[in-house]
PDB file of all heavy atoms in Angstrom:
ATOM      1  N   LEU A   1       0.859  -1.176   0.000  1.00  0.00           N
ATOM      2  CA  LEU A   1       0.000   0.000   0.000  1.00  0.00           C
ATOM      3  C   LEU A   1       0.898   1.229   0.000  1.00  0.00           C
ATOM      4  O   LEU A   1       1.765   1.378   0.872  1.00  0.00           O
ATOM      5  CB  LEU A   1      -0.906   0.008   1.239  1.00  0.00           C
ATOM      6  CG  LEU A   1      -1.673   1.297   1.549  1.00  0.00           C
ATOM      7  CD1 LEU A   1      -2.598   1.682   0.410  1.00  0.00           C
ATOM      8  CD2 LEU A   1      -2.455   1.151   2.858  1.00  0.00           C
ATOM      9  N   VAL A   2       0.700   2.101  -0.974  1.00  0.00           N
ATOM     10  CA  VAL A   2       1.459   3.350  -1.078  1.00  0.00           C
ATOM     11  C   VAL A   2       0.511   4.494  -0.730  1.00  0.00           C
ATOM     12  O   VAL A   2      -0.493   4.709  -1.419  1.00  0.00           O
ATOM     13  CB  VAL A   2       2.031   3.538  -2.495  1.00  0.00           C
ATOM     14  CG1 VAL A   2       2.864   4.819  -2.562  1.00  0.00           C
ATOM     15  CG2 VAL A   2       2.865   2.325  -2.907  1.00  0.00           C
ATOM     16  N   PHE A   3       0.828   5.205   0.348  1.00  0.00           N
ATOM     17  CA  PHE A   3       0.003   6.324   0.790  1.00  0.00           C
ATOM     18  C   PHE A   3       0.709   7.613   0.397  1.00  0.00           C
ATOM     19  O   PHE A   3       1.827   7.884   0.859  1.00  0.00           O
ATOM     20  CB  PHE A   3      -0.217   6.263   2.301  1.00  0.00           C
ATOM     21  CG  PHE A   3      -1.122   7.350   2.830  1.00  0.00           C
ATOM     22  CD1 PHE A   3      -2.353   7.594   2.261  1.00  0.00           C
ATOM     23  CD2 PHE A   3      -0.721   8.121   3.911  1.00  0.00           C
ATOM     24  CE1 PHE A   3      -3.183   8.592   2.755  1.00  0.00           C
ATOM     25  CE2 PHE A   3      -1.545   9.116   4.420  1.00  0.00           C
ATOM     26  CZ  PHE A   3      -2.780   9.357   3.835  1.00  0.00           C
ATOM     27  N   ILE A   4       0.058   8.412  -0.437  1.00  0.00           N
ATOM     28  CA  ILE A   4       0.644   9.638  -0.981  1.00  0.00           C
ATOM     29  C   ILE A   4      -0.175  10.821  -0.474  1.00  0.00           C
ATOM     30  O   ILE A   4      -1.334  10.999  -0.848  1.00  0.00           O
ATOM     31  CB  ILE A   4       0.652   9.601  -2.523  1.00  0.00           C
ATOM     32  CG1 ILE A   4       1.313   8.308  -3.024  1.00  0.00           C
ATOM     33  CG2 ILE A   4       1.369  10.819  -3.084  1.00  0.00           C
ATOM     34  CD1 ILE A   4       1.156   8.072  -4.512  1.00  0.00           C
ATOM     35  N   ASP A   5       0.441  11.624   0.379  1.00  0.00           N
ATOM     36  CA  ASP A   5      -0.277  12.705   1.065  1.00  0.00           C
ATOM     37  C   ASP A   5       0.560  13.983   1.011  1.00  0.00           C
ATOM     38  O   ASP A   5       1.087  14.436   2.023  1.00  0.00           O
ATOM     39  CB  ASP A   5      -0.548  12.272   2.516  1.00  0.00           C
ATOM     40  CG  ASP A   5      -1.330  13.300   3.303  1.00  0.00           C
ATOM     41  OD1 ASP A   5      -1.925  14.197   2.690  1.00  0.00           O
ATOM     42  OD2 ASP A   5      -1.341  13.210   4.550  1.00  0.00           O
ATOM     43  N   PRO A   6       0.683  14.588  -0.181  1.00  0.00           N
ATOM     44  CA  PRO A   6       1.546  15.765  -0.314  1.00  0.00           C
ATOM     45  C   PRO A   6       0.937  16.987   0.361  1.00  0.00           C
ATOM     46  O   PRO A   6      -0.284  17.072   0.549  1.00  0.00           O
ATOM     47  CB  PRO A   6       1.611  15.977  -1.843  1.00  0.00           C
ATOM     48  CG  PRO A   6       0.974  14.768  -2.459  1.00  0.00           C
ATOM     49  CD  PRO A   6       0.042  14.216  -1.444  1.00  0.00           C
ATOM     50  N   PRO A   7       1.771  17.978   0.702  1.00  0.00           N
ATOM     51  CA  PRO A   7       1.247  19.212   1.290  1.00  0.00           C
ATOM     52  C   PRO A   7       0.583  20.135   0.275  1.00  0.00           C
ATOM     53  O   PRO A   7      -0.060  21.111   0.653  1.00  0.00           O
ATOM     54  CB  PRO A   7       2.490  19.866   1.891  1.00  0.00           C
ATOM     55  CG  PRO A   7       3.618  19.352   1.067  1.00  0.00           C
ATOM     56  CD  PRO A   7       3.243  17.931   0.710  1.00  0.00           C
ATOM     57  N   PHE A   8       0.766  19.851  -1.003  1.00  0.00           N
ATOM     58  CA  PHE A   8       0.197  20.676  -2.070  1.00  0.00           C
ATOM     59  C   PHE A   8       0.654  22.128  -1.962  1.00  0.00           C
ATOM     60  O   PHE A   8      -0.128  23.065  -2.104  1.00  0.00           O
ATOM     61  CB  PHE A   8      -1.334  20.573  -2.092  1.00  0.00           C
ATOM     62  CG  PHE A   8      -1.818  19.340  -2.817  1.00  0.00           C
ATOM     63  CD1 PHE A   8      -1.920  18.130  -2.149  1.00  0.00           C
ATOM     64  CD2 PHE A   8      -2.124  19.383  -4.171  1.00  0.00           C
ATOM     65  CE1 PHE A   8      -2.323  16.985  -2.809  1.00  0.00           C
ATOM     66  CE2 PHE A   8      -2.535  18.250  -4.843  1.00  0.00           C
ATOM     67  CZ  PHE A   8      -2.645  17.044  -4.166  1.00  0.00           C
ATOM     68  N   GLU A   9       1.936  22.300  -1.712  1.00  0.00           N
ATOM     69  CA  GLU A   9       2.543  23.628  -1.784  1.00  0.00           C
ATOM     70  C   GLU A   9       2.852  24.002  -3.231  1.00  0.00           C
ATOM     71  O   GLU A   9       2.834  25.174  -3.589  1.00  0.00           O
ATOM     72  CB  GLU A   9       3.837  23.664  -0.964  1.00  0.00           C
ATOM     73  CG  GLU A   9       3.626  23.702   0.530  1.00  0.00           C
ATOM     74  CD  GLU A   9       4.941  23.917   1.258  1.00  0.00           C
ATOM     75  OE1 GLU A   9       5.863  23.120   1.093  1.00  0.00           O
ATOM     76  OE2 GLU A   9       5.015  24.900   1.998  1.00  0.00           O
ATOM     77  N   ASN A  10       3.159  23.004  -4.047  1.00  0.00           N
ATOM     78  CA  ASN A  10       3.504  23.254  -5.445  1.00  0.00           C
ATOM     79  C   ASN A  10       2.238  23.459  -6.270  1.00  0.00           C
ATOM     80  O   ASN A  10       1.266  22.708  -6.142  1.00  0.00           O
ATOM     81  CB  ASN A  10       4.293  22.073  -6.029  1.00  0.00           C
ATOM     82  CG  ASN A  10       5.603  21.847  -5.314  1.00  0.00           C
ATOM     83  OD1 ASN A  10       6.319  22.793  -5.007  1.00  0.00           O
ATOM     84  ND2 ASN A  10       5.920  20.592  -5.031  1.00  0.00           N
ATOM     85  N   THR A  11       2.253  24.454  -7.121  1.00  0.00           N
ATOM     86  CA  THR A  11       1.090  24.712  -7.967  1.00  0.00           C
ATOM     87  C   THR A  11       0.892  23.609  -9.008  1.00  0.00           C
ATOM     88  O   THR A  11      -0.205  23.454  -9.546  1.00  0.00           O
ATOM     89  CB  THR A  11       1.233  26.063  -8.693  1.00  0.00           C
ATOM     90  OG1 THR A  11       2.460  26.068  -9.444  1.00  0.00           O
ATOM     91  CG2 THR A  11       1.256  27.207  -7.686  1.00  0.00           C
ATOM     92  N   ASP A  12       1.952  22.841  -9.285  1.00  0.00           N
ATOM     93  CA  ASP A  12       1.856  21.761 -10.275  1.00  0.00           C
ATOM     94  C   ASP A  12       1.788  20.390  -9.612  1.00  0.00           C
ATOM     95  O   ASP A  12       2.166  19.382 -10.209  1.00  0.00           O
ATOM     96  CB  ASP A  12       3.041  21.813 -11.242  1.00  0.00           C
ATOM     97  CG  ASP A  12       4.390  21.619 -10.541  1.00  0.00           C
ATOM     98  OD1 ASP A  12       4.428  21.766  -9.287  1.00  0.00           O
ATOM     99  OD2 ASP A  12       5.380  21.326 -11.233  1.00  0.00           O
ATOM    100  N   GLU A  13       1.269  20.325  -8.365  1.00  0.00           N
ATOM    101  CA  GLU A  13       1.263  19.060  -7.624  1.00  0.00           C
ATOM    102  C   GLU A  13       0.465  17.975  -8.330  1.00  0.00           C
ATOM    103  O   GLU A  13       0.853  16.799  -8.344  1.00  0.00           O
ATOM    104  CB  GLU A  13       0.707  19.265  -6.217  1.00  0.00           C
ATOM    105  CG  GLU A  13       1.037  18.132  -5.258  1.00  0.00           C
ATOM    106  CD  GLU A  13       2.496  18.115  -4.849  1.00  0.00           C
ATOM    107  OE1 GLU A  13       2.980  19.106  -4.279  1.00  0.00           O
ATOM    108  OE2 GLU A  13       3.168  17.086  -5.104  1.00  0.00           O
ATOM    109  N   PHE A  14      -0.666  18.325  -8.919  1.00  0.00           N
ATOM    110  CA  PHE A  14      -1.467  17.321  -9.617  1.00  0.00           C
ATOM    111  C   PHE A  14      -0.690  16.729 -10.793  1.00  0.00           C
ATOM    112  O   PHE A  14      -0.754  15.522 -11.051  1.00  0.00           O
ATOM    113  CB  PHE A  14      -2.783  17.924 -10.105  1.00  0.00           C
ATOM    114  CG  PHE A  14      -3.835  18.055  -9.040  1.00  0.00           C
ATOM    115  CD1 PHE A  14      -4.440  19.268  -8.791  1.00  0.00           C
ATOM    116  CD2 PHE A  14      -4.219  16.956  -8.274  1.00  0.00           C
ATOM    117  CE1 PHE A  14      -5.418  19.401  -7.803  1.00  0.00           C
ATOM    118  CE2 PHE A  14      -5.181  17.075  -7.284  1.00  0.00           C
ATOM    119  CZ  PHE A  14      -5.778  18.300  -7.056  1.00  0.00           C
ATOM    120  N   ALA A  15       0.044  17.578 -11.504  1.00  0.00           N
ATOM    121  CA  ALA A  15       0.852  17.088 -12.621  1.00  0.00           C
ATOM    122  C   ALA A  15       1.960  16.168 -12.126  1.00  0.00           C
ATOM    123  O   ALA A  15       2.246  15.122 -12.737  1.00  0.00           O
ATOM    124  CB  ALA A  15       1.444  18.263 -13.400  1.00  0.00           C
ATOM    125  N   LEU A  16       2.600  16.535 -11.005  1.00  0.00           N
ATOM    126  CA  LEU A  16       3.638  15.685 -10.412  1.00  0.00           C
ATOM    127  C   LEU A  16       3.056  14.344  -9.985  1.00  0.00           C
ATOM    128  O   LEU A  16       3.669  13.288 -10.199  1.00  0.00           O
ATOM    129  CB  LEU A  16       4.260  16.389  -9.203  1.00  0.00           C
ATOM    130  CG  LEU A  16       5.201  17.557  -9.482  1.00  0.00           C
ATOM    131  CD1 LEU A  16       5.548  18.279  -8.190  1.00  0.00           C
ATOM    132  CD2 LEU A  16       6.470  17.057 -10.174  1.00  0.00           C
ATOM    133  N   LEU A  17       1.887  14.387  -9.372  1.00  0.00           N
ATOM    134  CA  LEU A  17       1.226  13.158  -8.943  1.00  0.00           C
ATOM    135  C   LEU A  17       1.009  12.215 -10.116  1.00  0.00           C
ATOM    136  O   LEU A  17       1.340  11.022 -10.047  1.00  0.00           O
ATOM    137  CB  LEU A  17      -0.122  13.489  -8.305  1.00  0.00           C
ATOM    138  CG  LEU A  17      -0.160  13.735  -6.809  1.00  0.00           C
ATOM    139  CD1 LEU A  17      -1.529  14.256  -6.393  1.00  0.00           C
ATOM    140  CD2 LEU A  17       0.161  12.454  -6.058  1.00  0.00           C
ATOM    141  N   LEU A  18       0.441  12.733 -11.179  1.00  0.00           N
ATOM    142  CA  LEU A  18       0.141  11.888 -12.331  1.00  0.00           C
ATOM    143  C   LEU A  18       1.417  11.310 -12.937  1.00  0.00           C
ATOM    144  O   LEU A  18       1.492  10.112 -13.240  1.00  0.00           O
ATOM    145  CB  LEU A  18      -0.632  12.689 -13.377  1.00  0.00           C
ATOM    146  CG  LEU A  18      -1.022  11.931 -14.641  1.00  0.00           C
ATOM    147  CD1 LEU A  18      -1.834  10.680 -14.304  1.00  0.00           C
ATOM    148  CD2 LEU A  18      -1.803  12.829 -15.587  1.00  0.00           C
ATOM    149  N   GLN A  19       2.429  12.151 -13.077  1.00  0.00           N
ATOM    150  CA  GLN A  19       3.698  11.703 -13.655  1.00  0.00           C
ATOM    151  C   GLN A  19       4.305  10.554 -12.851  1.00  0.00           C
ATOM    152  O   GLN A  19       4.689   9.517 -13.415  1.00  0.00           O
ATOM    153  CB  GLN A  19       4.676  12.878 -13.707  1.00  0.00           C
ATOM    154  CG  GLN A  19       6.079  12.498 -14.151  1.00  0.00           C
ATOM    155  CD  GLN A  19       7.063  13.648 -13.962  1.00  0.00           C
ATOM    156  OE1 GLN A  19       6.676  14.796 -13.732  1.00  0.00           O
ATOM    157  NE2 GLN A  19       8.345  13.348 -14.034  1.00  0.00           N
ATOM    158  N   HIS A  20       4.339  10.703 -11.541  1.00  0.00           N
ATOM    159  CA  HIS A  20       5.005   9.704 -10.707  1.00  0.00           C
ATOM    160  C   HIS A  20       4.123   8.485 -10.450  1.00  0.00           C
ATOM    161  O   HIS A  20       4.637   7.383 -10.225  1.00  0.00           O
ATOM    162  CB  HIS A  20       5.470  10.338  -9.403  1.00  0.00           C
ATOM    163  CG  HIS A  20       6.604  11.304  -9.596  1.00  0.00           C
ATOM    164  ND1 HIS A  20       7.897  10.884  -9.806  1.00  0.00           N
ATOM    165  CD2 HIS A  20       6.632  12.661  -9.658  1.00  0.00           C
ATOM    166  CE1 HIS A  20       8.685  11.928  -9.957  1.00  0.00           C
ATOM    167  NE2 HIS A  20       7.938  13.020  -9.879  1.00  0.00           N
ATOM    168  N   LEU A  21       2.826   8.669 -10.513  1.00  0.00           N
ATOM    169  CA  LEU A  21       1.932   7.509 -10.441  1.00  0.00           C
ATOM    170  C   LEU A  21       2.147   6.599 -11.637  1.00  0.00           C
ATOM    171  O   LEU A  21       2.206   5.362 -11.494  1.00  0.00           O
ATOM    172  CB  LEU A  21       0.475   7.963 -10.392  1.00  0.00           C
ATOM    173  CG  LEU A  21      -0.118   8.291  -9.033  1.00  0.00           C
ATOM    174  CD1 LEU A  21      -1.520   8.872  -9.200  1.00  0.00           C
ATOM    175  CD2 LEU A  21      -0.160   7.047  -8.150  1.00  0.00           C
ATOM    176  N   GLN A  22       2.251   7.182 -12.806  1.00  0.00           N
ATOM    177  CA  GLN A  22       2.463   6.379 -14.011  1.00  0.00           C
ATOM    178  C   GLN A  22       3.777   5.608 -13.929  1.00  0.00           C
ATOM    179  O   GLN A  22       3.841   4.420 -14.292  1.00  0.00           O
ATOM    180  CB  GLN A  22       2.434   7.284 -15.247  1.00  0.00           C
ATOM    181  CG  GLN A  22       1.051   7.816 -15.572  1.00  0.00           C
ATOM    182  CD  GLN A  22       1.056   8.784 -16.742  1.00  0.00           C
ATOM    183  OE1 GLN A  22       1.760   9.809 -16.706  1.00  0.00           O
ATOM    184  NE2 GLN A  22       0.307   8.486 -17.771  1.00  0.00           N
ATOM    185  N   LEU A  23       4.823   6.268 -13.430  1.00  0.00           N
ATOM    186  CA  LEU A  23       6.116   5.594 -13.287  1.00  0.00           C
ATOM    187  C   LEU A  23       6.043   4.488 -12.238  1.00  0.00           C
ATOM    188  O   LEU A  23       6.585   3.389 -12.441  1.00  0.00           O
ATOM    189  CB  LEU A  23       7.193   6.610 -12.904  1.00  0.00           C
ATOM    190  CG  LEU A  23       7.547   7.662 -13.959  1.00  0.00           C
ATOM    191  CD1 LEU A  23       8.491   8.709 -13.378  1.00  0.00           C
ATOM    192  CD2 LEU A  23       8.180   6.997 -15.183  1.00  0.00           C
ATOM    193  N   ALA A  24       5.369   4.764 -11.123  1.00  0.00           N
ATOM    194  CA  ALA A  24       5.262   3.774 -10.058  1.00  0.00           C
ATOM    195  C   ALA A  24       4.484   2.551 -10.518  1.00  0.00           C
ATOM    196  O   ALA A  24       4.852   1.411 -10.204  1.00  0.00           O
ATOM    197  CB  ALA A  24       4.594   4.396  -8.841  1.00  0.00           C
ATOM    198  N   LEU A  25       3.430   2.770 -11.266  1.00  0.00           N
ATOM    199  CA  LEU A  25       2.604   1.654 -11.730  1.00  0.00           C
ATOM    200  C   LEU A  25       3.333   0.799 -12.756  1.00  0.00           C
ATOM    201  O   LEU A  25       3.034  -0.390 -12.909  1.00  0.00           O
ATOM    202  CB  LEU A  25       1.285   2.179 -12.296  1.00  0.00           C
ATOM    203  CG  LEU A  25       0.279   2.608 -11.217  1.00  0.00           C
ATOM    204  CD1 LEU A  25      -0.783   3.525 -11.798  1.00  0.00           C
ATOM    205  CD2 LEU A  25      -0.369   1.373 -10.590  1.00  0.00           C
ATOM    206  N   GLN A  26       4.289   1.382 -13.454  1.00  0.00           N
ATOM    207  CA  GLN A  26       5.123   0.582 -14.352  1.00  0.00           C
ATOM    208  C   GLN A  26       5.986  -0.390 -13.564  1.00  0.00           C
ATOM    209  O   GLN A  26       6.269  -1.505 -14.012  1.00  0.00           O
ATOM    210  CB  GLN A  26       6.009   1.497 -15.199  1.00  0.00           C
ATOM    211  CG  GLN A  26       5.251   2.307 -16.239  1.00  0.00           C
ATOM    212  CD  GLN A  26       6.149   3.284 -16.981  1.00  0.00           C
ATOM    213  OE1 GLN A  26       7.386   3.231 -16.866  1.00  0.00           O
ATOM    214  NE2 GLN A  26       5.553   4.186 -17.741  1.00  0.00           N
ATOM    215  N   ARG A  27       6.382   0.006 -12.355  1.00  0.00           N
ATOM    216  CA  ARG A  27       7.242  -0.816 -11.512  1.00  0.00           C
ATOM    217  C   ARG A  27       6.422  -1.769 -10.637  1.00  0.00           C
ATOM    218  O   ARG A  27       6.874  -2.862 -10.321  1.00  0.00           O
ATOM    219  CB  ARG A  27       8.121   0.073 -10.623  1.00  0.00           C
ATOM    220  CG  ARG A  27       8.965   1.063 -11.381  1.00  0.00           C
ATOM    221  CD  ARG A  27       9.686   2.032 -10.451  1.00  0.00           C
ATOM    222  NE  ARG A  27      10.655   1.348  -9.609  1.00  0.00           N
ATOM    223  CZ  ARG A  27      11.911   1.097  -9.961  1.00  0.00           C
ATOM    224  NH1 ARG A  27      12.345   1.489 -11.155  1.00  0.00           N
ATOM    225  NH2 ARG A  27      12.728   0.473  -9.143  1.00  0.00           N
ATOM    226  N   PHE A  28       5.230  -1.320 -10.237  1.00  0.00           N
ATOM    227  CA  PHE A  28       4.438  -2.070  -9.259  1.00  0.00           C
ATOM    228  C   PHE A  28       2.954  -1.909  -9.613  1.00  0.00           C
ATOM    229  O   PHE A  28       2.220  -1.190  -8.956  1.00  0.00           O
ATOM    230  CB  PHE A  28       4.739  -1.540  -7.861  1.00  0.00           C
ATOM    231  CG  PHE A  28       4.121  -2.321  -6.731  1.00  0.00           C
ATOM    232  CD1 PHE A  28       4.029  -3.712  -6.767  1.00  0.00           C
ATOM    233  CD2 PHE A  28       3.645  -1.659  -5.610  1.00  0.00           C
ATOM    234  CE1 PHE A  28       3.458  -4.422  -5.718  1.00  0.00           C
ATOM    235  CE2 PHE A  28       3.079  -2.363  -4.549  1.00  0.00           C
ATOM    236  CZ  PHE A  28       2.990  -3.748  -4.614  1.00  0.00           C
ATOM    237  N   SER A  29       2.555  -2.614 -10.651  1.00  0.00           N
ATOM    238  CA  SER A  29       1.207  -2.427 -11.210  1.00  0.00           C
ATOM    239  C   SER A  29       0.114  -2.981 -10.313  1.00  0.00           C
ATOM    240  O   SER A  29      -1.039  -2.539 -10.385  1.00  0.00           O
ATOM    241  CB  SER A  29       1.119  -3.076 -12.590  1.00  0.00           C
ATOM    242  OG  SER A  29       1.363  -4.480 -12.501  1.00  0.00           O
ATOM    243  N   SER A  30       0.430  -3.943  -9.448  1.00  0.00           N
ATOM    244  CA  SER A  30      -0.589  -4.576  -8.614  1.00  0.00           C
ATOM    245  C   SER A  30      -0.748  -3.905  -7.255  1.00  0.00           C
ATOM    246  O   SER A  30      -1.607  -4.301  -6.459  1.00  0.00           O
ATOM    247  CB  SER A  30      -0.245  -6.055  -8.395  1.00  0.00           C
ATOM    248  OG  SER A  30       0.991  -6.186  -7.715  1.00  0.00           O
ATOM    249  N   GLY A  31       0.059  -2.893  -6.968  1.00  0.00           N
ATOM    250  CA  GLY A  31       0.000  -2.243  -5.667  1.00  0.00           C
ATOM    251  C   GLY A  31      -1.274  -1.444  -5.463  1.00  0.00           C
ATOM    252  O   GLY A  31      -1.932  -1.027  -6.430  1.00  0.00           O
ATOM    253  N   VAL A  32      -1.610  -1.236  -4.205  1.00  0.00           N
ATOM    254  CA  VAL A  32      -2.728  -0.365  -3.841  1.00  0.00           C
ATOM    255  C   VAL A  32      -2.149   1.023  -3.579  1.00  0.00           C
ATOM    256  O   VAL A  32      -1.209   1.173  -2.792  1.00  0.00           O
ATOM    257  CB  VAL A  32      -3.467  -0.881  -2.594  1.00  0.00           C
ATOM    258  CG1 VAL A  32      -4.611   0.061  -2.225  1.00  0.00           C
ATOM    259  CG2 VAL A  32      -3.977  -2.300  -2.819  1.00  0.00           C
ATOM    260  N   TYR A  33      -2.693   2.030  -4.236  1.00  0.00           N
ATOM    261  CA  TYR A  33      -2.227   3.407  -4.080  1.00  0.00           C
ATOM    262  C   TYR A  33      -3.378   4.257  -3.549  1.00  0.00           C
ATOM    263  O   TYR A  33      -4.484   4.243  -4.111  1.00  0.00           O
ATOM    264  CB  TYR A  33      -1.758   3.988  -5.419  1.00  0.00           C
ATOM    265  CG  TYR A  33      -0.559   3.290  -6.009  1.00  0.00           C
ATOM    266  CD1 TYR A  33      -0.698   2.071  -6.684  1.00  0.00           C
ATOM    267  CD2 TYR A  33       0.714   3.838  -5.917  1.00  0.00           C
ATOM    268  CE1 TYR A  33       0.395   1.416  -7.233  1.00  0.00           C
ATOM    269  CE2 TYR A  33       1.816   3.193  -6.468  1.00  0.00           C
ATOM    270  CZ  TYR A  33       1.651   1.980  -7.116  1.00  0.00           C
ATOM    271  OH  TYR A  33       2.734   1.332  -7.666  1.00  0.00           O
TER     272      TYR A  33
END
């Protein structure tokens, strides 16, 4: 289980989330996020 709870200080946080989610799922596609 990967728990992602950013402070959302960055104005581009949603873009960062999507980018790194895609990379993480390539490595661990069956994980719970």
Side-chain angles (χ1 to χ4, degrees):
L1 168 60
V2 182
F3 183 51
I4 308 170
D5 182 16
F8 278 85
E9 285 187 302
N10 298 317
T11 56
D12 62 343
E13 197 72 59
F14 281 126
L16 287 171
L17 270 171
L18 180 56
Q19 174 190 347
H20 290 283
L21 274 174
Q22 289 176 303
L23 293 172
L25 284 161
Q26 290 175 11
R27 304 173 65 87
F28 187 38
S29 61
S30 62
V32 179
Y33 296 79

